[in-house]
C-alpha cells in the first residue's frame, strides 16, 4: 500500500472516530415546592430514565462513609439543614442524612473516571438564584457546562447526564448563593454505551470507504 493510500485511510478512520463523539445526554426533572421525595414526581421519572440507560452505577446516600473512589469537596454531611425543606432534605427511604451546601460550589472527584453521573437536589429557588450550573471536563479536555432545570419555592430536581465513553474525573456543581441538599448520587461507567460495541452508521460508512480504498489499492498493485 502506498503512503498516500495509508494516509487517506487513516484520515477516514479518524473522521469515523470524531463522528462517534456526541454531546452528553441529559436527564432532567423538576418539581416546585416539595418537602419529600414522594412529591418529586417529575424528578423520580427522570431518575428512572437515567438509570434505565446508564445501568448499574455506584450509589452514595450519605448513610455510611463515602466509597474509596469518591471524594467530595464542599458542603457537609448532615441530617438537619437548619431551615426545613426550603434548604433541602434527605431523599433516601428510611434514613435522614444528605449533603448540605450553603452557597459556593461542591466538587465530586472520582479515582476511576466515569461517564455517567446523577443526583437528587432540593431546596432550589432558581427564580431567585438562576445561575446554577454543572461543570466537568470530558476525556478530550473540553470543558462542558450544563444548566440546572428550573425549580422554585424550595423545589426539587433530578439531574443526570451520560457522556458516553468519556473519562470524567470530576464534576462541579455551582450552587451560587442558594442553600441546597444533595442525595442519592449515582456515578460510574454506563453499561449501555452505544459506542462500546456498535459503531454509529456514519462511522460504519466511513470505515467501509476506507476498506474499499484498501481493496482498490491492492487490485491496482496486482495489475
Amino acid at each position: 500500500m502506498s503512503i498516500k493510500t495509508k494516509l487517506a485511510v487513516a484520515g477516514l478512520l479518524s473522521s469515523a472516530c470524531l463522528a462517534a463523539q456526541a454531546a452528553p445526554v441529559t436527564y432532567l426533572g423538576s418539581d416546585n415546592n416539595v418537602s419529600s421525595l414522594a412529591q418529586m414526581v417529575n424528578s423520580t421519572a427522570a431518575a428512572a430514565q437515567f438509570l434505565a440507560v446508564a445501568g448499574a452505577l455506584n450509589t452514595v446516600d450519605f448513610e455510611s462513609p463515602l466509597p474509596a473512589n469518591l471524594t467530595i469537596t464542599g458542603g457537609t454531611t448532615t441530617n438537619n439543614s437548619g431551615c426545613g425543606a426550603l434548604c433541602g432534605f434527605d431523599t433516601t427511604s428510611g434514613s435522614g442524612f444528605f449533603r448540605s451546601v450553603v452557597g459556593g460550589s461542591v466538587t465530586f472527584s472520582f479515582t476511576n473516571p466515569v461517564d455517567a453521573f446523577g443526583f437528587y437536589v432540593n431546596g432550589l429557588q432558581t427564580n431567585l438564584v438562576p445561575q446554577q450550573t454543572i461543570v466537568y471536563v470530558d476525556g478530550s479536555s473540553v470543558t462542558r457546562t450544563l444548566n440546572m432545570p428550573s425549580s422554585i419555592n424550595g423545589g426539587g430536581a433530578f439531574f443526570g447526564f451520560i457522556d458516553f465513553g468519556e473519562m470524567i474525573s470530576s464534576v462541579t456543581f455551582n450552587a451560587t448563593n442558594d442553600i441546597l441538599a444533595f442525595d442519592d448520587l449515582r456515578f460510574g461507567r454506563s453499561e449501555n454505551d452505544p459506542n462500546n460495541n456498535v459503531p454509529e452508521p456514519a462511522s460504519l460508512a466511513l470505515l467501509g470507504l476506507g476498506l474499499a480504498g484498501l481493496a482498490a489499492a491492492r487490485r491496482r498493485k496486482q495489475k
Side-chain angles (χ1 to χ4, degrees):
M1 187 193 310
S2 69
I3 294 178
K4 184 177 180 180
T5 302
K6 289 181 179 179
L7 290 173
V9 174
L12 287 170
L13 293 177
S14 177
S15 298
C17 292
L18 290 173
Q21 295 180 350
V25 181
T26 56
Y27 301 84
L28 311 175
S30 63
D31 303 272
N32 297 328
N33 189 25
V34 296
S35 57
S36 69
L37 182 63
Q39 297 174 331
M40 297 171 62
V41 179
N42 298 323
S43 304
T44 53
Q49 293 173 348
F50 169 73
L51 293 173
V53 177
L57 299 175
N58 299 292
T59 301
V60 174
D61 58 14
F62 299 104
E63 303 304 316
S64 56
L66 296 178
N69 57 339
L70 172 66
T71 301
I72 302 179
T73 304
T76 57
T77 298
T78 182
N79 62 355
N80 186 355
S81 68
C83 57
L86 186 63
C87 296
F89 53 87
D90 171 77
T91 57
T92 307
S93 177
S95 63
F97 287 87
F98 52 89
R99 191 79 174 188
S100 177
V101 179
V102 181
S105 64
V106 56
T107 297
F108 309 92
S109 301
F110 316 104
T111 302
N112 301 316
V114 306
D115 67 355
F117 180 77
F119 59 87
Y120 284 108
V121 58
N122 42 58
L124 290 163
Q125 301 181 85
T126 57
N127 55 326
L128 302 177
V129 188
Q131 303 89 2
Q132 296 164 348
T133 57
I134 293 284
V135 179
Y136 71 96
V137 178
D138 65 20
S140 62
S141 297
V142 174
T143 299
R144 295 189 182 274
T145 301
L146 307 175
N147 295 318
M148 282 293 297
S150 298
S151 187
I152 63 174
N153 300 329
F158 177 84
F159 185 102
F161 71 89
I162 306 175
D163 202 342
F164 290 111
E166 297 297 353
M167 304 292 284
I168 301 167
S169 59
S170 68
V171 177
T172 297
F173 179 88
N174 298 309
T176 315
N177 296 318
D178 209 350
I179 302 176
L180 306 173
F182 297 85
D183 206 0
D184 295 306
L185 309 180
R186 302 297 180 98
F187 66 93
R189 306 296 300 178
S190 55
E191 294 182 346
N192 302 314
D193 184 349
N195 299 321
N196 278 342
N197 301 310
V198 182
E200 293 185 358
S203 301
L204 288 173
L206 288 170
L207 183 59
L209 287 173
L211 294 174
L214 284 173
R218 180 171 297 179
R219 285 196 298 270
R220 287 196 298 270
K221 185 177 181 181
Q222 290 174 345
K223 290 180 180 180

